[in-house]
Amino acid sequence: MAKKERLTTESYKGVRDFYPQEQALMNYILLTMRGVAERFGYEEYHASILEPAELYKAKGSENEEIINDQTYTFLDRGGREVTLRPEMTPTVARMVAARRREMGYPLRWYSIPNLFRYERSQRGRLREHWQLNVDIFGSNSLASDAEVIAVAHGVMKAFGATDSDFLIKVGSRNFLDSIVQTLNLSGEDAKKLRGLLDRKDKISNEDFQSDMQALGVAAEMLSPEAPPPDVAEVLGLLREMGVENAVFDPSIVRGFDYYTGVVFEVFDTHPDNNRALLGGGRYDNLTALFDTEPVVGVGFGMGDVTVRDFLAVRGLLPEYLPRTKVYIAVAGAPFVKDAIHLSTALRKENVASALDFGEKKLSDQIKTASKHKIPYLIVVGENEVKSGEYTVKDLETGDEKKLSKTELASFFLHVN
Ligand code: HAM
C-alpha cells in the first residue's frame, strides 16, 4: 500500500499564522494605529487584495524592483493578469481618481491593508505584512506634509515610544532634482543617483563614495549647511505640532518613482532594529494615471512587522490578556448543566466566560484555564448548586472570594 503523504503544518514561506496571542498583539497594533489616525481626523477606507496587474505597470507608479521581482501576479480563469497588491498607494490613487469630483478636499484617509511582496524573508521583511496607510489628497500646503509626519510621530508615541527611541529623517526630491540639474545628469544617471542614495546604508562607505565619484557628485553637494526650503518649512511646522525628533537627511530619497517632493522615513534608534519603521512622501501625479487632472497626495506606510520588532527590543509589548474573564470548571459530569446555566447568565450580563464540558478531572480543567491565561476560575459542584454561592479564584494570585450568583456579574465587570 502506498504510504500516505503527510502535509506540512508549516505556513507558506514568509507569511504568518496568527495564533490567539499573536492575533491579540495584532489587534493591539491595529487599534493603536487606528486611534491615532482617527484623532487626526482621518477616515477609514478599504479595497480588495486583488488588482489588475496593469495598475503597477503603468508609467509613473513604476518601481522596477517591486514590479519585476516582487509581485505575486497570476492569470485568472478568464486570462486576466491579476496582482496581489504589493502596496496601497496605487489603489488609493485609483479610488480617489474614480470619485475625484465628489470628494471634499483636503481628503484625509487611512487604511490598514495586508500587502504581498515576494521578498527574501529576513528580520523586518516578510512576504505578507499589514501596513497602516495615512494619506492626504488635494493639498499643496507643506502643512499637509508635516501633518502626515505628525500622525506617524503620534502612532509611535501611542505605542509608548519616547522621542529618543526613533528618528524622523526628512529628505526632498526637489533638492535631489536641483543636484541633477546643476550637474546636468542624464535621466539614467539621475536614476542611478537615487538608487545609490536609497542603498546607502546597505553598502560600504567605500563603494558608496566611489559610485558617487563615478557619477560626478561631490560629497559636499549632499550635505548643504542648511536644509532646502521645503524641508526647512516642514521641520518648522513639525515643531509647531510638538514634533522635535525630525531632521533633514539628504540621503532619504525613497525607492518608488512616484514621489515628487518631500520624502521621509522613520528609523528605530536601537542598533538591533535599524530598519525603516515607515516611509512616505509627496506624490503629485499618481492620480493623473486615471484622469487628466491630477489630485496631489502625500502620505506614508507603516508596517506591522517592524513595529513588532520595535516593541520587542524596547520591552513595549503589551501583556497578553484574553477577552475571556472566567473559566467555569465542573466538579463532575452531573454538574455540566448547572455550569451551562451559570455561563448563560454571565454572558447575558456581558461577562465573557468559557465553559468546561467535564470530560477531564478538575486539575486538568484548571490547567486548561491557565494555558489560555484566563484570569479567574469558578468550580461548579454540589455545594455551589445547593448554596447558590460561588468561589471565584484569581488564578494568578490564588486569592479566593465567595460571591452569590447575582454578585458575580458586577464583580467581573469591575475587574480588569
Ligand atoms: P514602503 O517603503 O515600500 O512604502 O513601505 C512602507 C513600510 O512598510 C516600510 O517602512 C516597512 O515598515 C513596511 N514594509 C514594506 N515592505 C515590507 C515587507 N516586505 N515586510 C514587512 N514590512 C514591510 C510604501 O509602500 C508606500 N506605498 C507608502 C506610502 C503611502 N507612500 C505614500 N503613501
Side-chain angles (χ1 to χ4, degrees), residues 168-243:
I168 304 166
K169 297 182 180 177
V170 186
S172 164
R173 282 285 176 95
N174 296 321
F175 170 70
L176 198 68
D177 289 348
S178 71
I179 293 180
V180 166
Q181 264 177 15
T182 310
L183 295 174
N184 210 3
L185 294 182
S186 66
E188 186 76 6
D189 279 355
K191 208 169 176 145
K192 270 193 200 154
L193 175 61
R194 228 166 43 217
L196 185 59
L197 289 172
D198 202 36
R199 286 196 314 277
K200 187 176 175 231
D201 293 336
K202 295 175 193 146
I203 59 179
S204 73
N205 192 32
E206 267 172 21
D207 285 352
F208 178 74
Q209 296 300 347
S210 75
D211 286 3
M212 287 280 281
Q213 242 169 19
L215 287 168
V217 184
E220 307 82 70
M221 291 194 85
L222 281 176
S223 32
E225 276 170 22
D230 54 356
V231 176
E233 186 167 343
V234 167
L235 295 178
L237 287 163
L238 280 171
R239 279 192 292 276
E240 300 292 330
M241 297 172 182
V243 178

Side-chain angles (χ1 to χ4, degrees), residues 40-253:
F40 274 84
Y42 288 71
E43 291 175 287
E44 187 169 14
Y45 67 94
H46 207 58
S48 167
I49 291 170
L50 300 177
E51 284 284 3
E54 65 186 24
L55 182 63
Y56 308 101
K57 292 178 178 167
K59 203 179 164 299
S61 69
E62 156 201 12
N63 173 294
E64 279 166 16
E65 193 189 7
I66 288 209
I67 305 314
N68 297 337
D69 310 327
Q70 293 190 351
T71 55
Y72 282 88
T73 298
F74 58 94
L75 288 182
D76 72 9
R77 288 169 200 275
R80 297 172 207 90
E81 220 185 343
V82 182
T83 295
L84 301 185
R85 60 182 173 212
E87 58 156 336
M88 198 61 165
T89 312
T91 299
V92 71
R94 179 174 59 70
M95 289 169 67
V96 170
R99 301 203 180 163
R100 178 172 64 83
R101 287 190 185 82
E102 49 199 270
M103 302 289 194
Y105 300 104
L107 184 70
R108 291 180 167 88
W109 274 11
Y110 83 93
S111 189
I112 315 179
N114 54 339
L115 308 177
F116 299 85
R117 295 184 189 181
Y118 191 78
E119 291 206 51
R120 193 168 61 81
S121 304
Q122 52 186 301
R123 185 182 169 84
R125 280 288 176 274
L126 296 175
R127 290 182 174 175
E128 181 187 24
H129 74 284
W130 272 254
Q131 194 191 79
L132 168 67
N133 276 251
V134 167
D135 292 270
I136 300 189
F137 291 91
S139 169
N140 284 308
S141 167
L142 285 167
S144 61
D145 303 56
E147 181 180 293
V148 292
I149 297 174
V151 177
H153 177 268
V155 174
M156 293 302 297
K157 299 292 274 205
F159 280 126
T162 62
D163 274 2
S164 60
D165 289 340
F166 64 102
L167 185 63
I168 304 166
K169 297 182 180 177
V170 186
S172 164
R173 282 285 176 95
N174 296 321
F175 170 70
L176 198 68
D177 289 348
S178 71
I179 293 180
V180 166
Q181 264 177 15
T182 310
L183 295 174
N184 210 3
L185 294 182
S186 66
E188 186 76 6
D189 279 355
K191 208 169 176 145
K192 270 193 200 154
L193 175 61
R194 228 166 43 217
L196 185 59
L197 289 172
D198 202 36
R199 286 196 314 277
K200 187 176 175 231
D201 293 336
K202 295 175 193 146
I203 59 179
S204 73
N205 192 32
E206 267 172 21
D207 285 352
F208 178 74
Q209 296 300 347
S210 75
D211 286 3
M212 287 280 281
Q213 242 169 19
L215 287 168
V217 184
E220 307 82 70
M221 291 194 85
L222 281 176
S223 32
E225 276 170 22
D230 54 356
V231 176
E233 186 167 343
V234 167
L235 295 178
L237 287 163
L238 280 171
R239 279 192 292 276
E240 300 292 330
M241 297 172 182
V243 178
E244 307 278 351
N245 56 342
V247 295
F248 169 53
D249 185 331
S251 71
I252 298 298
V253 293

